Amino acid sequence: MSLPHAILTALLEKPSSGLDLTRRFDKSIGYFWSATHQQIYRELGKLEAEGFIRALPTEQPARGQRKSYEVLPAGRAELQRWTAAAQDPKPHRDALLLRLRAAAVVGTAGLETDLRRHLDLHRRQLAEYEEIEKRDFPPGNDSAQARLQHLVLRAGIELETFWIQWLTEALEELPEPAEQAS
Amino acid sequence: MSLPHAILTALLEKPSSGLDLTRRFDKSIGYFWSATHQQIYRELGKLEAEGFIRALPTEQPARGQRKSYEVLPAGRAELQRWTAAAQDPKPHRDALLLRLRAAAVVGTAGLETDLRRHLDLHRRQLAEYEEIEKRDFPPGNDSAQARLQHLVLRAGIELETFWIQWLTEALEELPEPAEQAS
DNA sequence: GCTCATTGTGCAACTAGTTGCATAATCCGT
DNA sequence: ACGGATTATGCAACTAGTTGCACAATGAGC
């Protein structure tokens, strides 16, 4: 149950419309909590109904009309509560590791191409993170807020670094063109 | 759509009943693809209907009666197909990173306890993985199958190591008892 | 002024995963 | 032999997330 809180966080950082949020999810919060625009619109409706946010009273609220939201005090309180509450880590699900495990049984034929593709995707993601780091966290900025945000970004950087290294190892492990392990 | 393939993999490693599978998911495959017993029973039904597995013909198939399944050739073929098929990485969702990001906005009050708890959980998981590594992958076993399985286990070990290190850093970053960052 | 691509909001239907409970068989102590 | 814990299977209802589509408003080209 984290999507509403992801949205509250984003809205506190900056009041936004549904589409703004969708865009920001694609390039920031979405790195560790992705959401589609439909999820976001639905959730905005719920959050408004619960009194956690409200639409900024601008013009006509017709279809195809931007509607911006801001967080109300109750919303901030809820986010604070959620942040401090104990939460069990969700069980992980990683299809790639599962595939390697399956490959140990049915053979690695055909795997290499996709592993290389994943390696490439992770390299791009890492580059993107490093770009953000250079841009948003130059040395010397040490407000509490910046330090926490930087910490989160570094988690992303280190995870990508891990995957790149692991995939490289995995590719070395793969046998020549064809082999069957069963 | 990976659960059926996780089950096929597990059944290829060893034909099992629903409960056997549930147990094995808890201590092996489930480390990177968790599933509850209900998911497993439902999926076993589907896989049987699709002709990928069949119940081992033993005794009465009544309720409360063990029923074991084995993989049929079609099931193995399907697993092979899936293993080789290209798959996009699913977007990650990590509630803990999200919380840290929220904490950057609403303050870190109350976070420390739960971070310590997570740190502890990751330490235990790492210990468990290392135990398995010592037991199942002693130096010198170099069959293709063992090397791949070991590779997967090492991913688990390195990920836990990462989280332990990152959480340690995060805890250092937290200010004394109370502070507000908004 | 009209048409067409783009922007922005949203509904509906679906898939995957979770939670809570029901029920049958078996095993174990008495 | 009976009663309660444990083992084993499963249904039903729910929550979260995804996919596909509909439709209004806006702006740009002609």
Side-chain angles (χ1 to χ4, degrees), chain A residues 19 23 37-38 41 66-67 93:
Chain A
L19 196 65
R23 295 231 173 89
H37 69 125
Q38 287 86 348
Y41 283 119
R66 264 152 175 282
K67 209 180 352 173
R93 292 213 165 99

Side-chain angles (χ1 to χ4, degrees), chain A residues 108-140:
Chain A
T108 54
L111 240 154
E112 190 179 335
T113 315
D114 205 37
L115 289 192
R116 288 198 192 288
R117 197 171 62 88
H118 278 245
L119 180 54
D120 191 53
L121 289 171
H122 285 294
R123 286 203 176 118
R124 281 170 207 276
Q125 189 64 59
L126 177 60
E128 204 171 323
Y129 285 158
E130 285 176 337
E131 194 56 41
I132 295 172
E133 187 177 39
K134 212 191 310 174
R135 169 160 49 77
D136 294 351
F137 302 99

Side-chain angles (χ1 to χ4, degrees), chain B residues 14-15 23-24 27 36-37 44 61 83 85 98 100-101 104 136 164 168 172 174 181:
Chain B
K14 182 170 175 309
R23 296 231 172 89
R24 290 169 57 204
K27 65 180 179 45
T36 61
H37 69 118
L44 283 172
T83 304
L98 185 58
L100 263 284
R101 175 85 177 239
D136 294 352
I164 291 166
T168 306
E172 281 164 17
L174 290 187

